[in-house]
Amino acid sequence: MATAPVARVRTVDWLDKMLNGGLPKGTWTVITGGPGVGKSVLTILIAGGNLKTMPIIYVTTESSFRDVVRQAGLFGLDLGNAVSLHDILTGKANAGESNMIVIDLFSLYRQYRELIRGEGGRKPSRALSIEVLKSAVSRALEELGLLEGNGRITGEVLVIVDSMTAFWADKPALARALSYGLRQSLYGPNLTVIMTSQYAPTTAMSFGFGLEHVADGIIHMWMDDVEAVKEVRRWLIIKKMRLTNHYSKAVRFNITEKGIIPLEPSLGEVNQGP
Ligand SMILES: Nc1ncnc2c1ncn2[C@@H]1O[C@H](COP(=O)(O)OP(=O)(O)OP(=O)(O)O)[C@@H](O)[C@H]1O
Ligand SMILES: [Mg+2]
């Protein structure tokens, strides 16, 4: 019996090729790797590349709204009509025609109590909690006109969280339980989720552990030992991806002003866009 092809969300051209067309829609993918390997750059390229085709919610725990827009601009991607949730909540902007809402969790410091109260939940003691993340994402879905009263998500959306590590940095033992909880609330056929997770070089697996088990896909990025090879050599591998066949070898890549460029002739012929 022929099966229907799996609908995809595009990433960057060469990674789409490795994924047989992109990330299967409705799945959760975790991008893991140590500091500076290119996780944030990859998520920004994915957001910029999808902006014209689907609404995007981009959560950052690492940089400001302005820096996300600026970093995208350095790669020739215009996030011009993106708005920040902070600006929406403080009345400085509205989602209007925008297709992208950036949630900068640190800037929400003053608003998070309000957000949670709106959700009827208990008040967390700090902005950087899974409850605030969930409430902020559902508020952004609402602003984008994608949420029904019963909580159903009415249209396709790409949710990117860069990074999850900060949510359990002080309680790594809870990473798994928190990941399961989050998966239950952020899961559906219309919802494609990409999260980054930082491997602490000294403790290897610990921070990524919870998320990797609940994720449908894992894209791992790493660097060769810079002291041994005396240069930055970056690699990427698809460790798992449910619902699709995928390339199974590691691919070396560079980050340049053109984006993330593979050093693999069979993938490198692909046009990287701007
Ligand atoms: N505009 C740019 N042009 C060229 N290279 C860039 C540019 N922006 C970032 N880079 C490269 O990407 C690296 C940072 O990558 P990125 O911020 O994505 O890392 P990360 O994996 O998110 O790290 P962390 O876990 O610390 O957040 C920089 O060290 C630099 O080498
Ligand atoms: Mg980063």
Side-chain angles (χ1 to χ4, degrees), residues 34-41 43 58 62-63 162-163 196 198:
V37 289
K39 302 180 298 297
S40 297
V41 169
T43 61
Y58 189 96
E62 295 193 343
S63 46
D162 180 41
S163 84
T196 65
Q198 197 177 68

Side-chain angles (χ1 to χ4, degrees), residues 168-245:
W168 41 69
D170 58 342
K171 43 182 179 308
L174 284 182
R176 199 159 179 171
L178 290 172
S179 301
Y180 275 110
L182 189 63
R183 165 113 178 179
Q184 278 173 337
S185 63
L186 267 188
Y187 190 69
N190 284 328
L191 194 61
T192 304
V193 177
I194 300 172
M195 295 178 163
T196 65
S197 174
Q198 197 177 68
Y199 272 9
T202 44
T203 52
M205 292 293 288
S206 63
F207 287 162
F209 194 68
L211 268 185
E212 286 187 52
H213 281 276
V214 301
D216 301 296
I218 303 171
I219 295 173
H220 183 54
M221 299 163 86
W222 75 95
M223 263 183 214
D224 284 343
D225 176 357
V226 291
E227 290 185 11
V229 300
K230 299 184 180 62
E231 64 172 333
V232 173
R233 283 188 199 159
R234 297 182 166 95
W235 295 87
L236 177 149
I237 193 163
I238 302 167
K239 274 170 77 173
K240 78 166 174 181
M241 194 63 64
R242 292 177 188 143
L243 298 176
T244 187
N245 193 8

Side-chain angles (χ1 to χ4, degrees), residues 10 86 157:
R10 297 193 49 205
H86 176 264
V157 58

Side-chain angles (χ1 to χ4, degrees), residues 85 89 105 108-139 167:
L85 185 65
L89 294 175
L105 278 171
L108 285 181
Y109 191 70
R110 286 175 197 285
Q111 285 77 37
Y112 76 91
R113 285 168 197 280
E114 241 9 87
L115 264 175
I116 291 292
R117 210 168 290 146
E119 291 285 308
R122 63 189 174 82
K123 285 181 230 160
S125 56
R126 58 201 185 99
L128 208 58
S129 75
I130 295 281
E131 285 152 294
V132 174
L133 172 66
K134 286 185 207 167
S135 311
V137 169
S138 65
R139 179 61 186 263
F167 291 99

